[in-house]
Amino acid sequence: MSDKIKIYKNCLLDLDETLLDFHASEKIGLEKVLRAKGLSFSEEIYAAFKVYNKSLWKELEKGTICREELFTKRFAYIFGECEGDSSDLDPLAVNHEFINTMSQNGVLLDGALEFVKRIKEEIKDLKIYVITNGATVNARGRIASTGLDRFLDDVFISEDMGVTKPSIEYFDMVLDKIKQPKESCIVIGDSLTSDMLGAKNASMVSIWFKPEGDIESAVKEYGIDYTADSYDEIINALKEWDKKHSF
Ligand SMILES: [Mg+2]
């Protein structure tokens, strides 16, 4: 007699801008670290950091710099924007402190905790997994610091796995770990190019959170099943999906 595996409704939830506010944590981390070093901090300094950081990430994607160069360069640059003496500071060491500080200061999007609580309570046999591209310490730390971890069944971080959304390998690895069929999974996220494309690549049902731009053509192109502007709308979509599928 073979053991029958219980099938759940599996929510694969993106992290940043779906449950947590990445930029709010980044700003807190930067301010705390710069001030601790006796340097100034302002909205202008944070804006300059974001612009320069973005250009460095593009360089990294092109392969013209490595991660360590990115981490060093962004702080060497930002020291030059701050008032105060930074002559003795090591940009790479300060970057390390910044990542740690940021990871201890997760910021929930409004209503996010209530949302995960509600879907567990209102939909029977539902599991919640986080699927996120990013650094392990940063994602795990921010999740734990907000109390979100109490409601999650597991967290899948690209740095741990060695593969990233939207690749089919990433989603196959998640299915392998949760031992559930793809038909039982629904992907929820704000990004077209990682979450919605990932769901399409993996042939999973999808909910596009906070859709923007040319919604109609994006829905067609990525084969999106539901769109939702709020957590209430995600819950409604989940209930509709739940009604249509019994496993
Ligand atoms: Mg996101």
Side-chain angles (χ1 to χ4, degrees):
M1 216 170 80
S2 66
D3 288 338
K4 198 164 182 279
I5 296 171
K6 182 170 170 58
I7 309 293
Y8 291 89
K9 313 279 161 48
N10 300 293
C11 275
L12 309 186
L13 266 166
D14 168 50
L15 188 63
D16 288 318
E17 311 328 310
T18 297
L19 296 170
L20 298 186
D21 184 335
F22 180 89
H23 295 291
S25 292
E26 182 182 63
K27 190 175 171 187
I28 294 169
L30 190 64
E31 174 163 14
K32 284 193 174 189
V33 165
L34 292 178
R35 290 202 193 279
K37 302 292 172 201
L39 301 176
S40 64
F41 179 82
S42 64
E43 290 295 331
E44 290 71 30
I45 288 171
Y46 178 55
F49 177 83
K50 278 214 299 193
V51 170
Y52 188 61
N53 190 40
K54 200 172 173 182
S55 72
L56 290 175
W57 277 99
K58 282 198 180 134
E59 294 286 324
L60 183 77
E61 279 165 23
K62 278 191 277 176
T64 49
I65 58 169
C66 66
R67 277 177 92 86
E68 195 170 301
E69 280 175 288
L70 182 151
F71 293 153
T72 306
K73 279 184 161 188
R74 66 183 182 181
F75 275 91
Y77 163 77
I78 214 65
F79 291 162
E81 298 294 303
C82 300
E83 284 166 31
D85 180 15
S86 56
S87 55
D88 285 341
L89 296 175
D90 171 4
L92 195 57
V94 175
N95 180 80
H96 187 68
E97 284 179 47
F98 161 69
I99 291 175
N100 278 334
T101 308
M102 187 179 162
S103 71
Q104 289 155 13
N105 288 276
V107 178
L108 288 159
L109 292 177
D110 271 353
L113 212 53
E114 189 55 31
F115 161 67
V116 289
K117 227 190 262 183
R118 268 190 72 195
I119 56 177
K120 277 252 162 175
E121 283 166 6
E122 295 183 25
I123 300 172
K124 206 174 153 260
D125 293 334
L126 178 126
K127 299 255 185 198
I128 304 175
Y129 299 103
V130 157
I131 53 167
T132 182
N133 285 347
T136 305
V137 59
N138 200 315
R140 281 209 191 276
R142 284 183 300 128
I143 287 170
S145 71
T146 53
L148 199 56
D149 52 340
R150 288 175 291 145
F151 304 99
L152 305 178
D153 292 281
D154 210 342
V155 177
F156 299 106
I157 306 167
S158 63
E159 189 184 55
D160 282 343
M161 297 162 71
V163 283
T164 52
K165 297 184 288 184
S167 75
I168 180 85
E169 290 79 11
Y170 177 93
F171 289 87
D172 279 348
M173 208 180 269
V174 171
L175 288 177
D176 198 49
K177 294 202 183 209
I178 67 176
K179 298 188 170 46
Q180 294 281 296
K182 64 182 179 204
E183 293 77 18
S184 67
C185 297
I186 187 161
V187 176
I188 305 167
D190 66 299
S191 165
L192 281 177
T193 51
S194 65
D195 306 317
M196 297 302 103
L197 183 59
K200 187 184 179 191
N201 290 342
S203 309
M204 289 176 185
V205 177
S206 58
I207 302 177
W208 185 18
F209 185 42
K210 293 183 286 192
E212 56 178 12
D214 186 349
I215 297 171
E216 205 178 314
S217 59
V219 163
K220 237 185 242 169
E221 186 181 342
Y222 295 92
I224 294 165
D225 298 277
Y226 303 92
T227 60
D229 280 309
S230 64
Y231 290 133
D232 282 345
E233 286 185 24
I234 296 183
I235 292 173
N236 290 341
L238 282 173
K239 286 181 175 169
E240 208 180 300
W241 173 68
D242 182 37
K243 241 190 273 168
K244 278 198 251 171
H245 297 79
S246 50
F247 302 110

